[in-house]
């Protein structure tokens, strides 16, 4: 049987959230089960359609599964490929068919994080070390770079795709069929649209800008402003200097997912003094 896009997707689904099992040899009752476990109906229906296109039989959907029992298909799948959580191996399909395998795998195992100005990523956790590194290698064929880190005190490896260019290539070549993951990735990419800050020119506007965007660090009596763009914070620092408000620019720093960001710190007292001066000036003008 040709390893086409449908079989590639079926295999990706089975490696991620599926099973290909038979009865123990000591058991009299014989069974040969193949199925996908997932709570998302879109993925179950896609698995059903792909399976039918590949094998000519349609699995049944019900109770969070899409399943079928068939001896000959079981033997074909079990003989040619592996699916166990710790042992599955990514086949060597064409680049076009590899897209379908990766999409099915990430639809099941992947997730999207979207924290604008701090962290945007596509991630996947896996207990199969060689398997997740083969996924990383496969992503490189599409120009998508990623990082893999072992979870502390756990036999789990986490793959993350970060950065606008790599996320854009992931979205273009792999993407998601899962509706919520697809939407979240679209939202993450849309948030990249324009991240340049418009720095107010007046003192009142600048202090209000700092108050609205800053996060107060009470333990250090500081206000912190974060951005993935250094030029935003550099422009803000320059504007603050003109008002004789001291600030310090740090970074780049790398968060736990590998994304780079910068931080500008301002002493809370300086901002408060500036606001008090503004209010006093306003009262005097009223008098």
């Amino acid at each position: 049987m040709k390893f086409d896009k449908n079989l590639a997707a079926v295999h990706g689904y089975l490696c991620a959230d599926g099973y290909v099992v038979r009865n123990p040899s000591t058991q009299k009752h014989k069974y040969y089960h193949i199925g996908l476990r997932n709570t998302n109906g879109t993925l179950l229906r896609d698995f059903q359609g792909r399976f039918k296109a590949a094998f000519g039989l349609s699995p049944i959907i019900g109770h969070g599964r899409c399943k079928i029992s068939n001896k000959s298909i079981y033997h074909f799948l079990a003989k040619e490929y592996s699916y166990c959580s710790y042992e599955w191996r990514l086949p060597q399909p064409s680049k076009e068919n590899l897209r379908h395998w990766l999409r099915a795998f990430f639809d099941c195992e992947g997730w999207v994080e979207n924290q604008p100005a701090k962290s945007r990523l596509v991630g996947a956790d896996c207990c199969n070390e060689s398997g997740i590194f083969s996924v990383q290698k496969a992503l490189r064929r599409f120009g998508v770079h990623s990082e893999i880190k072992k979870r502390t005190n756990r036999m789990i490896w986490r793959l993350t795709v970060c950065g606008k260019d790599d996320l854009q290539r992931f979205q273009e070549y792999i993407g998601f069929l899962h509706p919520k993951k697809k939407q979240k990735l679209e939202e993450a990419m849309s948030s990249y649209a324009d991240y340049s800050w418009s720095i107010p020119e007046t003192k009142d506007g600048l202090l209000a800008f700092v108050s609205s965007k800053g996060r107060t660090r009470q333990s250090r009596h500081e206000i912190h402003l974060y951005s993935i763009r250094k030029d935003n914070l550099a422009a803000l620092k320059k504007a603050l200097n003109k008002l004789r408000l001291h600030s310090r620019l740090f970074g780049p720093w790398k968060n736990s997912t590998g994304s780079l960001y910068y931080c500008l710190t301002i002493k809370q007292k300086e901002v408060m003094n500036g606001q008090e001066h503004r209010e006093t000036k306003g009262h005097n003008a009223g008098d």
Side-chain angles (χ1 to χ4, degrees):
M1 179 180 289
K2 185 179 179 181
F3 197 92
D4 61 7
K5 64 180 182 180
N6 293 307
L7 185 53
V10 167
H11 189 276
Y13 277 128
L14 292 174
C15 288
D17 275 345
Y19 54 90
V20 179
V21 297
R22 62 162 298 172
N23 58 282
S25 58
T26 56
Q27 184 174 311
K28 291 184 178 180
H29 175 67
K30 308 295 182 183
Y31 61 79
Y32 304 88
H33 296 330
I34 305 150
L36 173 70
R37 304 182 191 90
N38 204 284
T39 58
N40 186 269
T42 299
L43 300 188
L44 293 177
R45 289 188 293 273
D46 186 61
F47 177 80
Q48 183 184 55
R50 300 277 193 165
F51 195 96
K52 184 176 182 180
F55 298 105
L57 296 175
S58 183
I60 298 171
I61 295 177
H63 305 291
R65 297 191 183 199
C66 183
K67 59 184 180 178
I68 191 171
S69 295
N70 186 281
K71 182 178 180 180
S72 61
I73 296 177
Y74 165 84
H75 281 299
F76 168 78
L77 291 172
K79 179 181 179 181
E80 297 294 331
Y81 311 105
S82 59
Y83 310 94
C84 295
S85 298
Y86 295 92
E87 300 174 359
W88 59 262
R89 297 189 305 275
L90 200 164
Q92 300 298 317
S94 67
K95 188 175 180 180
E96 175 60 26
N97 292 334
L98 181 59
R99 292 176 59 245
H100 296 271
W101 191 99
L102 289 169
R103 197 272 302 154
F105 178 81
F106 276 95
D107 265 329
C108 293
E109 297 283 46
W111 40 272
V112 181
E113 180 176 299
N114 180 23
Q115 298 183 56
K118 187 175 182 182
S119 175
R120 304 175 189 79
L121 62 88
V122 170
D125 289 344
C126 185
C127 60
N128 183 342
E129 182 180 7
S130 63
I132 199 65
F133 275 96
S134 67
V135 170
Q136 182 184 52
K137 184 178 179 181
L139 288 172
R140 288 198 201 106
R141 294 181 65 181
F142 300 93
V144 179
H145 298 90
S146 59
E147 289 190 359
I148 295 177
K149 292 183 180 179
K150 185 177 180 294
R151 300 283 300 278
T152 305
N153 299 324
R154 297 183 65 186
M155 295 301 290
I156 298 289
W157 286 262
R158 172 166 291 180
L159 179 148
T160 54
V161 178
C162 306
K164 182 179 179 181
D165 292 340
D166 287 310
L167 287 172
Q168 199 166 42
R169 283 189 285 268
F170 180 92
Q171 184 182 41
E172 179 180 355
Y173 296 114
I174 313 301
F176 289 105
L177 181 63
H178 191 293
K180 290 185 178 179
K181 296 176 185 179
K182 181 179 181 180
Q183 180 182 352
K184 198 165 185 179
L185 180 56
E186 289 173 352
E187 291 171 353
M189 296 310 299
S190 295
S191 69
Y192 275 114
D194 183 7
Y195 244 104
S196 58
W197 289 358
S198 178
I199 308 298
E201 296 181 1
T202 66
K203 184 174 183 178
D204 289 356
L206 193 60
L207 292 173
F209 181 86
V210 169
S211 297
S212 64
K213 279 193 173 291
R215 300 180 187 177
T216 302
R217 185 81 176 271
Q218 294 291 359
S219 61
R220 299 178 64 89
H221 305 291
E222 293 176 342
I223 295 176
H224 291 192
L225 294 98
Y226 300 94
S227 178
I228 59 173
R229 292 185 53 168
K230 184 178 181 179
D231 59 338
N232 283 334
L233 298 176
L236 178 58
K237 180 177 176 62
K238 184 177 180 180
L240 290 169
N241 286 342
K242 290 181 179 179
L243 299 178
R244 297 183 180 180
L245 295 176
H246 179 67
S247 62
R248 293 196 297 170
L249 179 57
F250 298 95
W253 292 339
K254 184 181 288 188
N255 63 17
S256 60
T257 61
S259 298
L260 298 178
Y261 67 100
Y262 300 84
C263 176
L264 187 74
T265 65
I266 311 166
K267 287 297 181 182
Q268 191 176 10
K269 184 178 180 180
E270 294 206 33
V271 177
M272 292 176 64
N273 287 342
Q275 290 174 334
E276 289 173 0
H277 177 73
R278 180 185 61 181
E279 291 171 359
T280 301
K281 186 177 179 181
H283 287 311
N284 291 338
D287 294 341

